[in-house]
Structure formats: structure tokens, C-alpha cells
Amino acid sequence: DGLLYPFGIGRVGATIAENKPPYLSESIATFGKIFWLFLVGMIMLFWDSLENLEKRKRILFTAAFVILILGLTFTRISTSGLLNGENFISRFLYLGSIGLFILVFIYSLIKAKLDGDEKIMEAFRKIDVGLVLILAFSFFALISMRGAIRLFFIVSLAVVIVSSFVPIRIKKSLSNKNNGEVTKLFLFILLLISIFAIILTGISYFNQTNFQAKATAPSIYEQQWQGAMLWVRENTPEGAIFTHWWDYGYWVQTLGERPTVSDGGHFIGYWDHLVGRYLLTTEKPETALSFMKAHNVSYLLIDSTDLGKYSAYSSIGSNSGGEDRLSQIPVMVSDPSQTIESADKETRIYVGGTPVDEDIIYSQEGQEIFLPANRAFFAATVLEVSKKNSQISFNKPYGIFVYNNQQIRIPLRYIYFKGELIDFKDGLNATVRILPLISLSGQGVEIDNMGATIYLSPKVSGSLFAQLYLMDDVFNNYPTLKISHSEPDPFIGSLNQQGANVQDFVYYQGFRGPIKIWKVDYPSNIIGREEFLKTDGDYAEFDNLTFTR
């Protein structure tokens, strides 16, 4: 497992972008022409390290080493190829090349021992330790190269060192007086090719780095986070512990100067699962409060980008099957071409959608509708608005589901609009969260107060993220979490300064919202379960605990 999955196969490691196992095609694209010099250089180094062996054994060992290099490199080429690194043949060739290399050495050493051949042992004793060190480093670099993208930082060191050896080794061969004119010409051409490959790669890397450096700033150097963390530094006690999704840990620690439960180091990756399950996606307020009390949390922070990350932390927060919390939150925009208007009514269709996240069984007009999870698709929201005497009211919204090439309309129970929840008493237990749509034109800023919607499925509607962040605790499930600070999106703040008076959440080139920070107080009946302080464990293992007295 360590060879196949250097960063493990856990849900946390698989979800983090920089832990993605790269394919050979990505490695070649990253390292360019010197990637091939790296492979050639390893073979040259290995051949030179065995210079004291007789030629036949030297060729045998080098052949085994070439097979090892091919097995490490070419058994994870691309996701669509036969050698994708995941199927049986890829794993067999990968691990088999390592096993063959080891067996060749073991067999040769045992045979030499039985034959009383001391020459092979003497040859091994004379191997340059420096070459062994570089070869060992290069071996693990190849394994790392298929382990995680983040390891390219270390792999690049081995690539540069070994690639640089190639022209030096060729120049050494050129000085061999036993070479004929044709051989020397061939070696000279190879020398020029290797030098040019290194120079061109260096120039390319310099240009890329120079361009990126001019346009790069720290990821936290943005107005919204600077403002939020300024408030944290000036208005929260030193040592006050924050909790949030792990992405923001280092930002709160450095800009806000406050400790956090989790951060990008994932030193205790199990806590990422606990945050995902018992905090952000939980439908039971007592579990969130118990988790935060166990960690002595003073503040809860949620950022607007958590909406797009819902699929990540709901996956990490799911049970051992990986599906009970898994979902995503689609943001859908009104399609003007499908809008139907009359004197007293307007019908809008919001197109977008997402796979159905759990089986839906719904009775309608005496018939039972069944929509299977991950096979049916939520495709659109239909919203009817009645207009009378300049007043607007909503009719029951509908969701358009697609299954087996058929469209199925199912009523949805809730609408959340301008801080109010409208309950139609029946329908699928899902929520349509209406957002303003902002657009810029030659006439200035145009605001459509019903231009976009967020679809909150039955699974998502009850989550802490949806209830607390998107709907301002409309059901009063978190009375002891008081909003302490809301740092608006700079674009929204700018509009409101000009008198636009738009909501906290809008759709403008994507979903935009504030950074919200809640002060956490704990009801006297909440138990801070010490189990939440465990540093490892099973998925969903605390579901059956009691969290209240």
C-alpha cells in the first residue's frame, strides 16, 4: 500500500487537490525535456556504479534496473489508457518490476556465495557510496512522482541532479581513445542534444516563474479576509479557539493570530472528518455544540466558498460507505428565454442542477414516484410569482427531475427569500433559497432580486451550513450561536455604499457572500464528549453517543 498509495487512500488525502496522484503525462508536462534525461541519467549512474563487476553480470543487473525504471514510470500513464495505475495489470507490472529487481540481486548473491565467488562481493564493496545515495534518492523520487502532485517540489531536486549528470557522462565517453570516428560523432550529437535540452528547459522554467511571480500574491492577501481577521485580532480574546473547515486554519492563525482546531497541515486528519460530519453537515445541533465544547471552541467561522466545497467536506464527513452525507449545493440562474409573464403572474425557470443525492420516494396524485440516488438528476427549479397591487407572493415551487429520459415535476416545500421562510406545508422537504442576480451593463448596475436560486436538497436543508449560514438560523436551532461579525464580499460592500441595499448573498460571476463569525456559548445540558479529542478512529463512530444531559 505504501508503494501504491504513498499518501494513503483515506478520504481526506484523496480530497485534497495537492495530494492528487499525477499521471506520467502530467509529470512529462511538468518537467519537460529533462524528464527523459532524468531516466537516462539514472541508467547511466547505475551502470557506472557497477564498473568493478564483470561485464556479463553488469549487463544483467543493468537490464533488471531498466525494467525497474520502466515499471515505476510507465505503469501510470493516463486515466484513459490501459496502464492507468489502478487496474490489475498496472499494479502487477509496477510491483513486479520491483520484485524482479530484488530477485535478480538475491539470486546472484546466493549463487555467488554457493559458488565461492568473492569477486561479486568485492565489486559491491567498491561501489561509490555517493552514487548509491543519488540512486536511492532517485528511486524514491520516481515513486513520489506518482504519489502526489505536492511531492514534485522534492522530486525536482532529483530530476535536476541526475539530468545534469548526462552531458557530463557523455563528455567523459568522448574522451575514450578507443572510440571510432562514427561513435565520437554520435556521442557529440547526443552531448549537444542533452545540453540544449537542459538550456531550453531552464529558459522555459525561468520565463514561467518570472511571469507567475509578477502576478502572485499570498492567497490571504484579499480585502475580505484582511477585514475579517482585523476584526478578529481587535475584538476576540487572545487564545480564543476558532473552528471552521480546514482550508482557513493557517489564515486564522497568521492574520487573525488565533489558534484553530484544524488547518492545512492535516496533522490530525481525523478531525477533518469530525468537522465535516459533526459540525458542518450535521442536522443535530447538539452534536455540533458537543464537538465545539470538547475542543473549547469560542468562535465558529464560515466562508462563502464553503458552499462550493460542500461536496468535499460532506464526502469526508460521510460514514464508512462514503455516501450518507455526500451531496452538493447547486446555484442556478434564471433563464430569461424561458420566463413567462402575464399581467398578474411571472413564471421563471432556473436551469442548472445536480445528481439526486439520495433515493426520493414521493406520492403524487395517487402514484408513487421513485428517483434513485446518483441516477436521477435535479435539472431545474420552476418559480411562480403572483403580482397584485405591487405586492408579490410565491406559489408553490417545483423541481424538475430527469430520470430515464423523462421529466418529472415534484413540488418543493420551502422558499427562503429576504430573511423569511415560506412553508407550503407539503411537497419534497427541500428549500429554494432565492438570490439577487447582479449584472453590469452600459446603463450601470442591474439588480434582479429573484435572478438566481440555490437548491437545498432534503439532505442538505437540515445541515448546520444551510441552516446557520445560508438561512440565518431561521428554525432557531442554534440560539446560543450569536453572530459576532459579518465581513461582506468587497463587491457587495461597494454596491451598498452606493445605495444599492442588496442582501449579503448575491450572484455575480458566481456565488458571493460574507465571512460570518459566531460567538459560541453552550447550553448547560450539552456534554463536551472527550471522544471528539481522539486523533484517529472510524468513520461515523460517534453517531450513537449521547450529547445532552
Side-chain angles (χ1 to χ4, degrees):
D1 279 352
L3 290 170
L4 290 170
Y5 310 105
F7 267 70
I9 55 176
R11 221 174 280 160
V12 175
T15 308
I16 300 168
E18 58 266 31
N19 285 352
K20 175 183 175 292
Y23 291 96
L24 176 63
S25 55
E26 295 172 288
S27 299
I28 295 173
T30 298
F31 294 107
K33 298 175 180 61
I34 62 171
F35 173 81
W36 304 108
L37 291 181
F38 171 59
L39 298 184
V40 172
M42 285 186 67
I43 297 170
M44 286 182 170
L45 281 171
F46 187 82
W47 174 263
D48 284 359
S49 70
L50 302 178
E51 61 181 349
N52 293 305
L53 272 179
E54 61 175 287
K55 190 173 183 179
R56 184 175 60 85
K57 286 188 173 63
R58 193 178 184 188
I59 293 174
L60 173 65
F61 288 140
T62 303
F65 185 74
V66 170
I67 294 173
L68 172 66
I69 297 299
L70 295 176
L72 295 179
T73 308
F74 292 93
T75 52
R76 187 179 172 83
I77 298 176
S78 67
T79 182
S80 59
L82 176 63
L83 300 177
N84 61 13
E86 299 296 333
N87 57 27
F88 172 78
I89 188 170
S90 298
R91 297 180 182 186
F92 176 77
L93 293 175
Y94 173 52
L95 298 176
S97 65
I98 299 174
L100 177 65
F101 181 73
I102 295 172
L103 286 175
V104 167
F105 264 82
I106 291 176
Y107 170 77
S108 299
L109 291 175
I110 292 176
K111 188 175 184 302
K113 185 71 173 177
L114 293 175
D115 294 343
D117 184 3
E118 291 295 327
K119 292 182 179 179
I120 187 171
M121 298 305 300
E122 184 64 25
F124 282 141
R125 293 189 190 100
K126 293 181 179 179
I127 291 178
D128 188 330
V129 177
L131 293 181
V132 174
L133 178 62
I134 294 175
L135 285 168
F137 183 33
S138 302
F139 170 78
F140 288 109
L142 276 180
I143 293 177
S144 301
M145 192 179 288
R146 57 185 288 151
I149 286 178
R150 71 192 309 166
L151 295 180
F152 279 178
F153 286 105
I154 295 176
V155 171
S156 60
L157 182 60
V159 171
V160 169
I161 291 174
V162 177
S163 299
S164 302
F165 176 79
V166 174
I168 296 173
R169 181 63 179 80
I170 294 174
K171 184 177 182 301
K172 181 181 177 181
S173 297
L174 267 173
S175 60
N176 189 337
K177 297 180 180 179
N178 296 324
N179 291 330
E181 293 300 321
V182 176
T183 302
K184 287 183 178 181
L185 178 62
F186 177 71
L187 290 174
F188 182 73
I189 293 173
L190 287 181
L191 177 63
L192 291 179
I193 291 174
S194 63
I195 291 174
F196 277 119
I198 292 175
I199 292 174
L200 291 175
T201 302
I203 293 173
S204 174
Y205 278 9
F206 173 80
N207 291 334
Q208 290 179 39
T209 304
N210 190 40
F211 175 78
Q212 291 172 358
K214 290 179 179 179
T216 300
S219 57
I220 54 176
Y221 192 75
E222 60 167 56
Q223 183 179 341
Q224 189 177 19
W225 267 93
Q226 292 284 348
M229 293 300 98
L230 174 63
W231 181 89
V232 168
R233 292 195 304 271
E234 295 183 348
N235 295 276
T236 65
E238 290 187 16
I241 298 173
F242 277 68
T243 190
H244 39 67
W245 188 229
W246 66 262
D247 287 12
Y248 321 115
Y250 290 146
W251 299 4
V252 175
Q253 292 166 21
T254 54
L255 281 183
E257 300 177 2
R258 298 295 181 265
T260 67
V261 174
S262 56
D263 58 41
H266 307 286
F267 185 70
I268 305 177
Y270 182 60
W271 286 2
D272 292 336
H273 167 68
L274 299 183
V275 171
R277 185 172 191 82
Y278 297 104
L279 185 67
L280 294 175
T281 67
T282 186
E283 295 183 351
K284 299 177 180 178
E286 63 271 19
T287 66
L289 291 165
S290 177
F291 172 81
M292 290 190 287
K293 188 172 184 178
H295 287 273
N296 196 26
V297 167
S298 298
Y299 294 91
L300 168 66
L301 181 149
I302 297 181
D303 181 78
S304 62
T305 57
D306 285 334
L307 183 137
K309 297 170 185 173
Y310 197 93
S311 59
Y313 56 77
S314 63
S315 170
I316 292 175
S318 288
N319 59 7
S320 57
E323 78 289 331
D324 72 329
R325 297 289 174 84
L326 179 61
S327 187
Q328 53 187 312
I329 304 177
V331 182
M332 299 175 290
V333 177
S334 174
D335 182 0
S337 66
Q338 300 187 54
T339 299
I340 302 174
E341 291 190 71
S342 62
D344 60 353
K345 189 172 72 172
E346 181 182 71
T347 302
R348 293 186 178 220
I349 298 179
Y350 301 83
V351 180
T354 180
V356 171
D357 55 16
E358 61 183 350
D359 291 346
I360 294 177
I361 302 175
Y362 187 79
S363 296
Q364 186 169 264
E365 298 178 354
Q367 293 185 341
E368 187 174 86
I369 298 172
F370 174 66
L371 301 174
N374 300 315
R375 293 167 61 192
F377 194 79
F378 179 84
T381 301
V382 179
L383 200 62
E384 293 183 351
V385 184
S386 297
K387 302 176 182 179
K388 293 182 180 179
N389 301 323
S390 300
Q391 299 293 320
I392 66 169
S393 61
F394 294 97
N395 296 329
K396 186 182 297 181
Y398 283 84
I400 304 295
F401 295 84
V402 178
Y403 179 56
N404 283 341
N405 295 321
Q406 293 184 340
Q407 288 191 5
I408 302 160
R409 288 166 62 99
I410 297 179
L412 308 177
R413 179 171 176 177
Y414 298 106
I415 286 178
Y416 186 84
F417 180 59
K418 290 188 175 181
E420 295 185 6
L421 186 75
I422 304 171
D423 185 356
F424 294 94
K425 304 303 181 183
D426 60 7
L428 187 66
N429 197 33
T431 304
V432 178
R433 210 289 190 196
I434 301 175
L435 301 174
L437 173 67
I438 309 295
S439 56
L440 302 179
S441 66
Q443 287 72 39
V445 178
E446 296 181 3
I447 302 174
D448 181 353
N449 286 317
M450 295 182 293
T453 60
I454 299 173
Y455 172 70
L456 303 173
S457 70
K459 183 188 287 190
V460 173
S461 287
S463 67
L464 177 143
F465 174 77
Q467 298 251 323
L468 195 61
Y469 183 72
L470 294 178
M471 296 189 287
D472 295 316
D473 194 24
V474 69
F475 292 103
N476 198 33
N477 286 326
Y478 299 92
T480 60
L481 271 62
K482 303 296 184 182
I483 190 75
S484 294
H485 182 68
S486 180
E487 186 70 27
D489 177 270
F491 177 74
I492 299 174
S494 175
L495 288 181
N496 287 334
Q497 287 176 3
Q498 299 172 43
N501 194 27
V502 296
Q503 304 172 29
D504 285 346
F505 300 104
V506 303
Y507 188 93
Y508 172 70
Q509 298 178 351
F511 174 76
R512 294 171 179 260
I515 298 171
K516 291 187 178 183
I517 300 172
W518 292 265
K519 177 71 173 69
V520 183
D521 291 315
Y522 301 97
S524 58
N525 66 331
I526 292 295
I527 301 171
R529 300 296 309 222
E530 292 185 0
E531 289 86 347
F532 285 130
L533 300 177
K534 288 179 59 178
T535 57
D536 59 65
D538 297 325
Y539 294 123
E541 65 174 314
F542 304 138
D543 283 9
N544 297 322
L545 294 180
T546 301
F547 302 102
T548 57
R549 293 185 177 88

